[in-house]
Amino acid sequence: MNILIKSAKIVYPQDKGLHLKKKDIFIKNGIIDTISSSVDVPSPTKIIDIKNLHVSLGWMDSGVSFGEPGYEERETLANGLDVAAISGYTDIILNPNTNPLPDTSSDIVFVMEKAKGKTTDLHPLGTLTKNSEGKDLAELFDMGNAGAVGFYDFKKQISNPNLLKIALLYAQNFDGLVFSYPQDGNIKGKGVVNEGENSTVLGLKGIPALAEELQISRDLFILEYTGGKLHIPTISTKNSVKLVAAAKKKGLDVSCSVAIHNLMFTDDSLKDFNTNFKVVPPLRTKEDCKALIKGLKDGVIDYVTTDHTPIDIEEKRVEFDHALEGTIGFESAFGSLNRLFGLEDSIALLTKGRERFAIREPKIAPGATANLCLFNPNVDWVFGPEHIESTSKNSMFLETTLKGKVYGTINNNQIALSNFE
């Protein structure tokens, strides 16, 4: 397949000769053939010519959930990957949030086989413990050999500190990446929202920041003792940023992420008891949001994630206490980040992180495999139900003004475009 991207501004700071320059990009059979001010192309060639078109490397998300196997009513692998592709993502890390849970090599192989042939590449996580029960380590080495890029008991704390110690020690034998969810379940208790003034006014049980910060402190002490590689997904508090910063200053091999919705929204959004705003970790305060944004700018927080979690309507249209946690986030991701950080910083955040998960780093250069995102950063628009392509519709971004629209991606000698025309 031949593709010509006409007169696109390339956002690629790795090459000063291309960065923010308008160029034609000719792609032949999935490989970038020519980058020039003007390209003559053979017939037939699909020509992409869009006003104010921008191009960057394809984006990566370090933690998304679908449903298959077990919860196909929420999202299938096929549709989830299609939505990721038209939202700008060419690589996603898939959370172990299914039934059955992926705790063996055969489970990893199943997911990877189902995901073949898509524009977006899927990189699965295996569970850290068998059935995510927090008792015995799962088949980490075998799952790693099968393609798992890390090990995570999704949204569950590792209650036993010795188990985390053993996991970090064992995973060093094959350079494995251990995830530890930052929440002490005993302190969280039955909490459903951030503990503070709003939880009191609304009469909802609170989750104190201490629940997150205590777990992170413990995990970092263990990491300092064992060595190894630790990833802390979706931190949400001001002091969590400080704890990670101090650990990095010591030279510990720790990374962390933050969910985009924890940058955009606070617990002030809960006043209408809209269950789309029920997430874990919970929405925190304005002070926390500011600290998280600063943490990203300073490089303390490594990655932004959509924390895309489809939940079907039956599990959301219930009383707030009983609703499942989660919001979808693919379709609104770029427009949210671009509004907060601007073009170049947003693209830097969206394209970083592959090396942490041992994923091949793409390039924009002749001879390189085309792994590209197409977008317009200068469109202001209001996100509505008609913009949701996910099977589940549980988005807290509805009625939010966003800046920038994604047209699609090119990867694996395929092209996925949204209905922008």
Side-chain angles (χ1 to χ4, degrees):
M1 177 170 59
N2 296 333
I3 302 170
L4 177 64
I5 304 171
K6 286 285 293 179
S7 194
K9 183 176 284 188
I10 300 173
V11 185
Y12 187 55
Q14 294 91 327
D15 186 335
K16 300 302 180 185
L18 293 179
H19 185 47
L20 301 182
K21 304 291 195 307
K22 277 192 174 183
K23 300 286 183 180
D24 287 0
I25 304 174
F26 177 53
I27 300 165
K28 186 176 181 180
N29 296 325
I31 305 297
I32 297 174
D33 182 89
T34 310
I35 303 175
S36 180
S37 298
S38 181
V39 181
D40 294 325
V41 297
S43 181
T45 294
K46 180 175 179 61
I47 297 176
I48 302 174
D49 189 0
I50 309 169
K51 183 179 179 182
N52 199 39
L53 180 62
H54 287 58
V55 172
S56 75
L57 291 175
W59 305 338
M60 193 203 81
D61 195 323
S62 62
V64 309
S65 299
F66 294 146
E68 187 179 3
Y71 303 108
E72 285 82 357
E73 71 279 5
R74 298 177 184 176
E75 190 71 276
T76 62
L77 286 165
N79 191 67
L81 288 167
D82 287 345
V83 176
I86 62 173
S87 301
Y89 291 90
T90 54
D91 289 284
I92 61 155
I93 309 297
L94 183 68
N95 289 319
N97 186 28
T98 55
N99 184 23
L101 290 163
D103 58 3
T104 68
S105 57
S106 60
D107 297 323
I108 299 299
V109 170
F110 168 81
V111 171
M112 295 182 71
E113 286 294 322
K114 289 280 288 187
K116 280 185 176 178
K118 290 294 187 179
T119 307
T120 298
D121 291 317
L122 181 148
H123 310 277
L125 297 172
T127 63
L128 185 68
T129 63
K130 292 180 181 178
N131 205 36
S132 287
E133 292 176 346
K135 296 178 181 178
D136 301 302
L137 289 182
E139 299 176 4
L140 307 190
F141 180 74
D142 289 344
M143 287 192 291
N145 283 340
V149 296
F151 310 101
Y152 181 25
D153 287 351
F154 178 69
K155 303 283 187 180
K156 293 182 179 180
Q157 71 170 108
I158 303 172
S159 300
N160 182 349
N162 191 52
L163 190 67
L164 178 60
K165 184 195 80 171
I166 293 170
L168 285 166
L169 288 169
Y170 176 62
Q172 290 177 57
N173 293 308
F174 53 95
D175 200 31
L177 180 61
V178 174
F179 283 55
S180 181
Y181 180 59
Q183 187 166 262
D184 185 306
N186 292 317
I187 293 178
K188 172 186 178 289
K190 296 182 179 179
V192 293
V193 297
N194 179 56
E195 183 179 84
E197 181 180 338
N198 284 318
S199 65
T200 302
V201 170
L202 296 170
L204 296 171
K205 292 184 176 66
I207 304 172
L210 177 66
E212 177 172 308
E213 294 153 11
L214 189 64
Q215 190 80 2
I216 290 176
S217 296
R218 186 208 73 171
D219 291 352
L220 292 174
F221 271 118
I222 294 172
L223 178 65
E224 188 172 7
Y225 177 79
T226 60
K229 294 164 59 176
L230 179 69
H231 181 67
I232 304 173
T234 59
I235 68 172
S236 68
T237 78
K238 176 181 177 180
N239 284 333
S240 293
V241 179
K242 292 180 179 178
L243 289 166
V244 174
K248 289 188 171 186
K249 195 171 182 181
K250 288 181 180 179
L252 301 186
D253 192 352
V254 59
S255 56
C256 66
S257 65
V258 62
I260 295 172
H261 50 259
N262 282 102
L263 305 171
M264 286 282 291
F265 300 99
T266 70
D267 59 357
D268 290 339
S269 302
L270 300 170
K271 59 186 178 181
D272 295 326
F273 295 93
N274 184 341
T275 57
N276 284 337
F277 290 90
K278 185 180 181 183
V279 289
V280 286
L283 301 177
R284 301 287 188 181
T285 67
K286 289 180 181 178
E287 187 178 14
D288 291 311
C289 281
K290 289 179 182 177
L292 293 167
I293 290 170
K294 186 175 186 300
L296 279 167
K297 290 179 177 178
D298 294 343
V300 174
I301 301 175
D302 300 274
Y303 318 119
V304 290
T305 172
T306 60
D307 200 20
H308 180 84
T309 307
I311 302 293
D312 54 282
I313 192 169
E314 289 82 5
E315 301 287 0
K316 278 293 188 180
R317 193 175 288 176
V318 293
E319 291 181 6
F320 197 94
D321 277 343
H322 301 299
L324 291 185
E325 299 96 343
T327 179
I328 59 173
F330 275 145
E331 299 96 325
S332 53
F334 176 63
S336 301
L337 286 175
N338 191 35
R339 180 176 142 187
L340 289 172
F341 295 97
L343 173 60
E344 292 188 64
D345 286 348
S346 295
I347 298 304
L349 289 170
L350 288 162
T351 54
K352 70 184 294 194
R354 287 177 170 89
E355 71 285 349
R356 184 65 166 170
F357 302 94
I359 300 170
R360 179 184 58 82
E361 190 74 37
K363 296 179 180 179
I364 300 179
T369 300
N371 184 322
L372 304 171
C373 174
L374 314 175
F375 60 96
N376 181 349
N378 299 326
V379 180
D380 292 317
W381 57 295
V382 178
F383 186 68
E386 67 275 18
H387 301 119
I388 296 177
E389 299 294 338
S390 302
T391 302
S392 294
K393 311 301 178 185
N394 55 306
S395 173
M396 70 168 68
F397 293 85
L398 290 169
E399 300 180 15
T400 301
T401 299
L402 306 179
K403 184 177 180 63
K405 277 197 169 184
V406 181
Y407 298 131
T409 52
I410 298 171
N411 189 37
N412 295 329
N413 197 23
Q414 298 186 66
I415 182 167
L417 295 179
S418 61
N419 188 24
F420 60 88
E421 295 172 333

